[in-house]
Amino acid sequence: MAKNDNVQPAKPMTKRQRARWDQERKQSSQVLLIAAAAVGLAVLLIGIGLVIQKVIVPNKTVANIAGVEVSNAEYQQYRQIMQAQQAVNLAQQIQQYAQYQLQGTEQFATDVTNYIAGLKDKNAPLDYTVLNQLINDKVLESNAAAEGITVSDEELQQSLAAKFAPANEVMNPVAPVTSTNGLTDTASLTPTQTPTPTLSEASARVDSAITTYFGTLREFIEETSSYGLATLPFDRNAFKDFVLHQERLQLLREKLGEKLVTEDQATKEIYADAQQIFVTAGITEPTDPLTATKWAQAKTKIDDVAAQLTSTAVFTDVQLANTTNNATDNPATGMRPLTEYAALGITEPISTQQVGVIGEPYQSAQGWHIVLVHQRELRPSQSDLATKRDEAVTKWIEEKRAAANVQRFPEPTATTVPPTIEPIPTTIPQPTTDPAAATATPASEATPTTDSAAPTATTASEATPTTVVTPTP
C-alpha cells in the first residue's frame, strides 16, 4: 500500500489548549449533573404531591371522638353524597316553583350550581355544619349500644322496604281524612293491606329502589350540561352504604326517643272515630250575590238528608247514597287527632257531641255537616310526643358529645359576638304639677313617684321576662 504523504500527524496540544479542553469537559459534566438533578427533583416533587394528595390528605384526621379518629376521606365522601342529594332536591323544587310561577328559583339554581361544583373538589375545606352532623351521627351510634339500643339488619331492611313500597301498596294502612269537596263524607278507600315481605324480599326491594335512585342522581349530575360534572365522586355501593347507614341512625333515634320520653309525658289530645255527611254551600267569594240562595239550598238538602237518618244503623247507607265518592267502602275514619278534623271545620261537634248519637245539622264556614261520633277518648298527642322525643335525643347527643372530648382539626375560629346596645328611651317622664312636690328634696330623701301616667324605668337586670305560651296543636 502506498504511503499517503498528505496525512499529517496530530500535533500535541499546548498547555493552554489542554487547560481549555479540561475546563469545557468539566462544564459539560456539570450541566449534565444539574439537568439530571432537576429531572430527579421534579420526579420527586411529583411523587411527593401524589403521596400527599392520594395518601396523606385523605388519611389526615379531621376529628377525634373519644379516641376514635375521623379521616378526611370519610368526611369528604359524607359531604359529597349529601351535597349530591341536596342538588337533586333543590332542582325538583325549582321545577315546582317554575310550575306555579313562584319567585326564588334564581337562588335555588345558584345553590344547585354550588353544590355540584363542590363535588369536583375531593379535598374541600371543612364545612363545620356537615362535620358536626357527621360527629353527632358517630356519637349516637357509639353510645346507643350502652343504652341497650340496637337495630337488626331485618329491622333496617323492613323499614326501608316500607318507605320504598309502591304507591298502591300500603304495609300499614291508615285511612286518610279527605277534603269536603261536594257532598261527600270524610272516609276514603282504605288501601288493601299487603303481607309484610320476607327479609330477602325486603332486601331485593331496597336494593332495586336504591339502584333506581342512584341512576337518577347520576343522570342528573353527570348528564346535565349546564353543570358539566363528568363523573360522580362516589359509586353505587358507596351510596347504598350511606342510605342504609342513615336509616339505621334514624331507627336508633326513634328507639332512643321512645326510651327517653314515654307516652304519658306527652300532652293529651282528643282522638275520635267519626263519620260525616257534608253539603257544601258552594261559596267561592264572600261578596257572592247568590250567597243567601246557596246557603238556603244547602240547608234544604241537609234537612232532607237528616230526615233519612232514622237510626245510626242506616247512617252508612244514607252516607253512601248521598256521596260523590263511589269508591268509598269504609265509612269510618279510624281514631284521629282532633287537629285532623280542623280542616273539615267540624272540631266542635267531634269534641262535644254525644258518642253514638247522630248530631243535628252543624254549620261550618264551608257548608252543613251531620256528624256521627263512634268513639272519643284522650290520648297522648303524637305531634307533641314527637317534638319532645326529638328534643330529648338532641340533648342526649349533646351531653354524650361533651363527655367524649370531641376535637376538630382545625378547630373553627371563634366569632366575636358584638355587645348588645340598649335602645335609647323614646318617652320622657313628665314633671309633676303638684305645688307641694315642687319643693326641692335631697336626692337621698326623694321618694319615687307611683303616678300611673308616668312610665316607670326598670333596669334590664330587674326586668321580669315575659313568658310566651305557645298553644299545643
Side-chain angles (χ1 to χ4, degrees), residues 253-269 271 337 379-394 472-473:
R253 287 185 66 94
E254 292 175 2
K255 288 188 175 185
L256 178 61
E258 292 172 0
K259 181 175 182 178
L260 296 175
V261 179
T262 58
E263 287 197 346
D264 58 0
Q265 293 175 262
T267 303
K268 298 299 186 293
E269 182 181 7
Y271 276 69
R379 289 186 179 182
S381 168
Q382 294 304 303
S383 60
D384 181 62
L385 185 62
T387 299
K388 288 181 176 178
R389 284 176 172 173
D390 185 66
E391 292 173 349
V393 170
T394 299
T472 303

Short mmCIF file of all heavy atoms in Angstrom, two decimals, residues 253-269 271 337 379-394 472-473:
data_model
loop_
_atom_site.label_atom_id
_atom_site.label_comp_id
_atom_site.label_asym_id
_atom_site.label_seq_id
_atom_site.Cartn_x
_atom_site.Cartn_y
_atom_site.Cartn_z
N ARG A 253 -82.44 6.74 66.58
CA ARG A 253 -83.03 7.95 67.17
C ARG A 253 -84.45 7.67 67.66
O ARG A 253 -84.84 8.11 68.74
CB ARG A 253 -83.05 9.09 66.16
CG ARG A 253 -81.70 9.72 65.86
CD ARG A 253 -81.88 10.93 64.93
NE ARG A 253 -82.61 11.98 65.62
CZ ARG A 253 -82.03 12.99 66.27
NH1 ARG A 253 -80.72 13.08 66.32
NH2 ARG A 253 -82.77 13.91 66.86
N GLU A 254 -85.22 6.96 66.85
CA GLU A 254 -86.61 6.66 67.24
C GLU A 254 -86.65 5.80 68.49
O GLU A 254 -87.43 6.06 69.41
CB GLU A 254 -87.33 5.96 66.08
CG GLU A 254 -87.55 6.86 64.87
CD GLU A 254 -88.14 6.12 63.68
OE1 GLU A 254 -88.41 4.91 63.83
OE2 GLU A 254 -88.33 6.74 62.62
N LYS A 255 -85.82 4.76 68.55
CA LYS A 255 -85.81 3.89 69.72
C LYS A 255 -85.31 4.63 70.96
O LYS A 255 -85.84 4.44 72.07
CB LYS A 255 -84.94 2.66 69.45
CG LYS A 255 -85.53 1.67 68.46
CD LYS A 255 -84.71 0.40 68.40
CE LYS A 255 -85.36 -0.64 67.52
NZ LYS A 255 -84.62 -1.93 67.55
N LEU A 256 -84.30 5.47 70.77
CA LEU A 256 -83.79 6.24 71.90
C LEU A 256 -84.84 7.22 72.40
O LEU A 256 -85.02 7.39 73.60
CB LEU A 256 -82.52 6.98 71.48
CG LEU A 256 -81.86 7.88 72.54
CD1 LEU A 256 -81.44 7.05 73.75
CD2 LEU A 256 -80.67 8.61 71.96
N GLY A 257 -85.55 7.85 71.47
CA GLY A 257 -86.61 8.77 71.86
C GLY A 257 -87.71 8.08 72.64
O GLY A 257 -88.23 8.63 73.63
N GLU A 258 -88.06 6.87 72.26
CA GLU A 258 -89.09 6.10 72.98
C GLU A 258 -88.64 5.77 74.39
O GLU A 258 -89.45 5.70 75.31
CB GLU A 258 -89.40 4.82 72.22
CG GLU A 258 -90.12 5.07 70.89
CD GLU A 258 -90.25 3.80 70.06
OE1 GLU A 258 -89.79 2.73 70.54
OE2 GLU A 258 -90.80 3.86 68.96
N LYS A 259 -87.32 5.57 74.56
CA LYS A 259 -86.80 5.25 75.90
C LYS A 259 -86.72 6.49 76.77
O LYS A 259 -86.99 6.43 77.97
CB LYS A 259 -85.42 4.61 75.77
CG LYS A 259 -84.82 4.21 77.11
CD LYS A 259 -83.50 3.47 76.94
CE LYS A 259 -82.95 3.04 78.31
NZ LYS A 259 -81.68 2.28 78.19
N LEU A 260 -86.35 7.62 76.18
CA LEU A 260 -86.16 8.83 76.96
C LEU A 260 -87.48 9.50 77.33
O LEU A 260 -87.59 10.10 78.40
CB LEU A 260 -85.29 9.83 76.18
CG LEU A 260 -83.84 9.41 75.89
CD1 LEU A 260 -83.15 10.45 75.02
CD2 LEU A 260 -83.07 9.21 77.19
N VAL A 261 -88.47 9.42 76.44
CA VAL A 261 -89.77 10.08 76.69
C VAL A 261 -90.88 9.08 76.46
O VAL A 261 -91.09 8.61 75.33
CB VAL A 261 -89.95 11.31 75.76
CG1 VAL A 261 -91.30 11.97 76.02
CG2 VAL A 261 -88.83 12.30 75.93
N THR A 262 -91.60 8.75 77.49
CA THR A 262 -92.72 7.82 77.38
C THR A 262 -93.98 8.55 76.95
O THR A 262 -94.06 9.79 77.02
CB THR A 262 -92.97 7.10 78.72
OG1 THR A 262 -93.24 8.09 79.72
CG2 THR A 262 -91.73 6.30 79.13
N GLU A 263 -94.97 7.80 76.53
CA GLU A 263 -96.20 8.41 76.02
C GLU A 263 -96.94 9.22 77.08
O GLU A 263 -97.60 10.21 76.76
CB GLU A 263 -97.12 7.33 75.45
CG GLU A 263 -96.65 6.75 74.13
CD GLU A 263 -97.75 6.01 73.40
OE1 GLU A 263 -98.79 5.72 74.04
OE2 GLU A 263 -97.59 5.72 72.21
N ASP A 264 -96.83 8.82 78.35
CA ASP A 264 -97.56 9.55 79.38
C ASP A 264 -96.96 10.93 79.66
O ASP A 264 -97.53 11.73 80.41
CB ASP A 264 -97.64 8.73 80.68
CG ASP A 264 -96.26 8.37 81.23
OD1 ASP A 264 -95.25 8.77 80.60
OD2 ASP A 264 -96.20 7.69 82.25
N GLN A 265 -95.80 11.23 79.07
CA GLN A 265 -95.19 12.55 79.24
C GLN A 265 -95.68 13.54 78.18
O GLN A 265 -95.35 14.73 78.25
CB GLN A 265 -93.66 12.44 79.16
CG GLN A 265 -93.04 11.66 80.32
CD GLN A 265 -91.55 11.49 80.14
OE1 GLN A 265 -91.07 10.46 79.68
NE2 GLN A 265 -90.80 12.51 80.49
N ALA A 266 -96.45 13.06 77.21
CA ALA A 266 -96.95 13.94 76.16
C ALA A 266 -98.27 14.58 76.58
O ALA A 266 -99.02 14.03 77.39
CB ALA A 266 -97.14 13.16 74.87
N THR A 267 -98.54 15.74 76.02
CA THR A 267 -99.82 16.41 76.26
C THR A 267 -100.95 15.56 75.70
O THR A 267 -100.83 14.98 74.62
CB THR A 267 -99.83 17.79 75.58
OG1 THR A 267 -98.73 18.55 76.07
CG2 THR A 267 -101.13 18.52 75.85
N LYS A 268 -102.05 15.48 76.44
CA LYS A 268 -103.18 14.69 75.99
C LYS A 268 -103.98 15.46 74.94
O LYS A 268 -104.10 16.68 74.99
CB LYS A 268 -104.09 14.32 77.17
CG LYS A 268 -103.41 13.45 78.22
CD LYS A 268 -102.95 12.13 77.63
CE LYS A 268 -102.41 11.19 78.70
NZ LYS A 268 -101.15 11.68 79.30
N GLU A 269 -104.54 14.73 74.01
CA GLU A 269 -105.30 15.33 72.91
C GLU A 269 -106.51 14.45 72.62
O GLU A 269 -106.47 13.23 72.80
CB GLU A 269 -104.40 15.43 71.68
CG GLU A 269 -105.07 16.08 70.46
CD GLU A 269 -104.11 16.13 69.27
OE1 GLU A 269 -103.02 15.55 69.34
OE2 GLU A 269 -104.49 16.77 68.26
N TYR A 271 -108.87 12.28 70.58
CA TYR A 271 -108.88 11.43 69.39
C TYR A 271 -110.31 10.91 69.20
O TYR A 271 -111.00 10.63 70.19
CB TYR A 271 -107.93 10.24 69.54
CG TYR A 271 -106.50 10.55 69.19
CD1 TYR A 271 -105.73 11.39 69.99
CD2 TYR A 271 -105.90 10.03 68.04
CE1 TYR A 271 -104.42 11.69 69.68
CE2 TYR A 271 -104.59 10.33 67.71
CZ TYR A 271 -103.85 11.15 68.54
OH TYR A 271 -102.55 11.45 68.21
N PRO A 337 -106.56 12.36 65.59
CA PRO A 337 -106.49 13.51 66.50
C PRO A 337 -107.45 14.61 66.04
O PRO A 337 -107.76 14.74 64.86
CB PRO A 337 -105.03 13.97 66.36
CG PRO A 337 -104.57 13.44 65.05
CD PRO A 337 -105.32 12.16 64.84
N ARG A 379 -105.91 10.85 74.28
CA ARG A 379 -104.70 10.07 74.03
C ARG A 379 -103.50 11.01 74.02
O ARG A 379 -103.65 12.22 73.81
CB ARG A 379 -104.78 9.36 72.67
CG ARG A 379 -105.78 8.22 72.62
CD ARG A 379 -105.64 7.51 71.27
NE ARG A 379 -106.56 6.39 71.14
CZ ARG A 379 -106.61 5.59 70.08
NH1 ARG A 379 -105.81 5.83 69.04
NH2 ARG A 379 -107.46 4.58 70.04
N PRO A 380 -102.29 10.45 74.20
CA PRO A 380 -101.10 11.30 74.08
C PRO A 380 -101.01 11.89 72.67
O PRO A 380 -101.18 11.18 71.68
CB PRO A 380 -99.95 10.33 74.35
CG PRO A 380 -100.57 9.20 75.13
CD PRO A 380 -101.96 9.08 74.62
N SER A 381 -100.77 13.18 72.59
CA SER A 381 -100.64 13.83 71.29
C SER A 381 -99.37 13.34 70.60
O SER A 381 -98.27 13.48 71.13
CB SER A 381 -100.57 15.35 71.47
OG SER A 381 -100.18 15.98 70.27
N GLN A 382 -99.53 12.76 69.42
CA GLN A 382 -98.38 12.22 68.71
C GLN A 382 -97.45 13.33 68.23
O GLN A 382 -96.23 13.16 68.20
CB GLN A 382 -98.85 11.38 67.53
CG GLN A 382 -99.60 10.12 67.92
CD GLN A 382 -98.78 9.22 68.84
OE1 GLN A 382 -97.67 8.82 68.50
NE2 GLN A 382 -99.34 8.92 70.01
N SER A 383 -97.99 14.48 67.88
CA SER A 383 -97.13 15.59 67.45
C SER A 383 -96.32 16.12 68.62
O SER A 383 -95.12 16.39 68.49
CB SER A 383 -97.97 16.71 66.83
OG SER A 383 -98.92 17.20 67.77
N ASP A 384 -96.96 16.27 69.79
CA ASP A 384 -96.24 16.73 70.97
C ASP A 384 -95.21 15.69 71.41
O ASP A 384 -94.09 16.03 71.82
CB ASP A 384 -97.22 17.01 72.10
CG ASP A 384 -96.54 17.52 73.36
OD1 ASP A 384 -95.93 18.61 73.29
OD2 ASP A 384 -96.61 16.84 74.40
N LEU A 385 -95.59 14.42 71.31
CA LEU A 385 -94.68 13.34 71.69
C LEU A 385 -93.45 13.34 70.79
O LEU A 385 -92.31 13.19 71.26
CB LEU A 385 -95.40 12.00 71.62
CG LEU A 385 -94.62 10.76 72.09
CD1 LEU A 385 -94.26 10.90 73.56
CD2 LEU A 385 -95.45 9.50 71.85
N ALA A 386 -93.66 13.52 69.48
CA ALA A 386 -92.54 13.53 68.54
C ALA A 386 -91.60 14.70 68.82
O ALA A 386 -90.37 14.55 68.77
CB ALA A 386 -93.06 13.60 67.11
N THR A 387 -92.17 15.87 69.14
CA THR A 387 -91.36 17.04 69.44
C THR A 387 -90.51 16.82 70.68
O THR A 387 -89.31 17.11 70.71
CB THR A 387 -92.25 18.28 69.62
OG1 THR A 387 -92.96 18.53 68.40
CG2 THR A 387 -91.42 19.50 69.97
N LYS A 388 -91.14 16.31 71.74
CA LYS A 388 -90.42 16.10 73.00
C LYS A 388 -89.34 15.03 72.85
O LYS A 388 -88.25 15.15 73.42
CB LYS A 388 -91.40 15.72 74.10
CG LYS A 388 -92.28 16.88 74.55
CD LYS A 388 -93.22 16.49 75.66
CE LYS A 388 -94.02 17.71 76.15
NZ LYS A 388 -94.99 17.37 77.19
N ARG A 389 -89.63 14.00 72.08
CA ARG A 389 -88.62 12.96 71.88
C ARG A 389 -87.44 13.48 71.07
O ARG A 389 -86.28 13.16 71.36
CB ARG A 389 -89.25 11.75 71.19
CG ARG A 389 -90.11 10.91 72.14
CD ARG A 389 -90.82 9.77 71.43
NE ARG A 389 -91.47 8.90 72.41
CZ ARG A 389 -92.28 7.89 72.10
NH1 ARG A 389 -92.55 7.64 70.81
NH2 ARG A 389 -92.81 7.13 73.04
N ASP A 390 -87.73 14.27 70.05
CA ASP A 390 -86.65 14.84 69.24
C ASP A 390 -85.77 15.76 70.09
O ASP A 390 -84.54 15.72 69.98
CB ASP A 390 -87.25 15.61 68.07
CG ASP A 390 -86.18 16.13 67.12
OD1 ASP A 390 -85.49 15.30 66.49
OD2 ASP A 390 -86.01 17.35 67.01
N GLU A 391 -86.41 16.57 70.94
CA GLU A 391 -85.63 17.46 71.81
C GLU A 391 -84.80 16.65 72.81
O GLU A 391 -83.64 17.01 73.09
CB GLU A 391 -86.57 18.40 72.56
CG GLU A 391 -87.27 19.42 71.65
CD GLU A 391 -88.32 20.23 72.39
OE1 GLU A 391 -88.66 19.85 73.54
OE2 GLU A 391 -88.81 21.22 71.83
N ALA A 392 -85.36 15.58 73.34
CA ALA A 392 -84.64 14.76 74.31
C ALA A 392 -83.44 14.07 73.68
O ALA A 392 -82.36 13.99 74.28
CB ALA A 392 -85.59 13.73 74.93
N VAL A 393 -83.61 13.56 72.46
CA VAL A 393 -82.50 12.89 71.77
C VAL A 393 -81.39 13.90 71.45
O VAL A 393 -80.20 13.60 71.62
CB VAL A 393 -83.00 12.21 70.47
CG1 VAL A 393 -81.83 11.73 69.62
CG2 VAL A 393 -83.91 11.04 70.82
N THR A 394 -81.78 15.09 71.00
CA THR A 394 -80.79 16.13 70.70
C THR A 394 -79.98 16.49 71.94
O THR A 394 -78.75 16.61 71.89
CB THR A 394 -81.48 17.39 70.15
OG1 THR A 394 -82.17 17.05 68.94
CG2 THR A 394 -80.47 18.48 69.85
N THR A 472 -100.72 24.29 72.16
CA THR A 472 -100.44 22.96 71.61
C THR A 472 -101.34 22.70 70.42
O THR A 472 -102.55 22.92 70.50
CB THR A 472 -100.69 21.87 72.67
OG1 THR A 472 -99.88 22.18 73.80
CG2 THR A 472 -100.33 20.50 72.12
N PRO A 473 -100.77 22.25 69.29
CA PRO A 473 -101.62 21.99 68.11
C PRO A 473 -102.69 20.96 68.42
O PRO A 473 -102.44 20.02 69.15
CB PRO A 473 -100.63 21.44 67.08
CG PRO A 473 -99.28 21.92 67.54
CD PRO A 473 -99.37 21.99 69.02
#
